Amino acid sequence: MGDLPARDRYKLLVSTVVPRPIAWVTTMSPAGTVNAAPYSFFNAMGDDPPLLVLGLMKDGATGDDKDTATNILATGEFVVNLVGEPDAAAMVRSAAPVPRVLSEIDYAGIATAPALRVAPPRIASAPVSFECVRRETVTIGTGQVIVIGEVLVTHVADAFVTDPKRLHLDTTAMHLIARMHGADRYLRTTDQFALPREPYDPARLEGSETPPAA
């Protein structure tokens, strides 16, 4: 894939690696301007410590870091908010190329709530928000910055907590949405099926060649 133009590589990745969860990231500039932007190059990467990873693409026209990466690199703090379907329109609106001196929070009419351990606010209507600090930054190539963040605090809206002691959540009721292929395509996560994991069964290998021991 390395011999393809960058735009073609991007098309192949986003058309095949689906569905992708959406990180609606809030950050704050050193001057105090709050930024909100959605990213679908995002996932959880571990639990000890709890880690989230963001793939932050640079501005295609200038090659500069966008607001989210600029703020995270400057302050080391950010909040990842998950996106429920009721917030879909505001999330998309916050992706507009708002000038750096303005806030997407104001532009998109997004209500916020204070975070507990970081300066950027969380999005009040988000089903789940993760307060994070930057632990590592990986720069490979010229078009992207990969940020690994450690989760300090997790907020889950009370409506989705079914058993606080056992940390059981009604994830389906959150109506989270995910990014799909192509422009403007999203997925509801309410169409699910269960497929229990099978125990190891040696009989399945009978009559087949046994691989050598490692």
Side-chain angles (χ1 to χ4, degrees):
M1 232 165 86
D3 57 346
L4 294 175
R7 185 61 184 173
D8 291 344
R9 296 195 296 266
Y10 176 83
K11 287 180 179 178
L12 286 174
L13 286 172
V14 300
S15 294
T16 54
V17 183
V18 293
R20 299 187 307 280
I22 301 169
W24 200 6
V25 184
T26 44
T27 58
M28 182 180 290
S29 74
T33 301
V34 176
N35 174 265
Y39 291 88
S40 65
F41 285 172
F42 154 68
N43 221 309
M45 288 293 132
D47 65 350
D48 188 17
L51 300 176
L52 301 179
V53 65
L54 300 173
L56 307 177
M57 310 299 287
K58 294 179 180 285
D59 187 309
T62 66
D64 296 331
D65 289 325
K66 295 182 180 180
D67 290 345
T68 299
T70 298
N71 293 344
I72 292 174
L73 293 174
T75 69
E77 298 182 340
F78 60 100
V79 179
V80 170
N81 306 275
L82 301 186
V83 183
E85 191 172 354
D87 283 332
M91 178 270 295
V92 171
R93 194 171 298 119
S94 72
V98 177
R100 283 182 182 257
V101 296
L102 303 179
S103 171
E104 289 84 358
I105 295 295
D106 298 331
Y107 176 79
I110 301 167
T112 63
L116 298 178
R117 295 182 59 184
V118 299
R122 56 192 177 91
I123 293 174
S125 55
V128 181
S129 298
F130 302 101
E131 298 182 24
C132 300
V133 291
R134 176 173 55 89
R135 287 302 181 213
E136 298 286 348
T137 303
V138 181
T139 302
I140 301 175
T142 60
Q144 62 210 2
V145 174
I146 298 171
V147 172
I148 301 172
E150 180 179 346
V151 179
L152 302 183
V153 180
T154 300
H155 301 265
V156 180
D158 290 344
F160 308 118
V161 180
T162 57
D163 189 330
K165 291 184 178 180
R166 294 190 292 174
L167 297 180
H168 286 185
L169 309 179
D170 189 349
T171 305
T172 302
M174 296 178 187
H175 293 284
L176 298 175
I177 60 173
R179 198 69 168 87
M180 285 296 292
H181 63 287
D184 308 328
R185 303 292 295 179
Y186 295 87
L187 174 79
R188 295 182 176 92
T189 54
T190 49
D191 184 6
Q192 305 172 21
F193 63 95
L195 191 63
R197 184 178 299 185
E198 298 180 0
Y200 171 65
D201 181 4
R204 293 184 62 85
L205 295 175
E206 290 181 1
S208 64
E209 183 178 349
T210 303

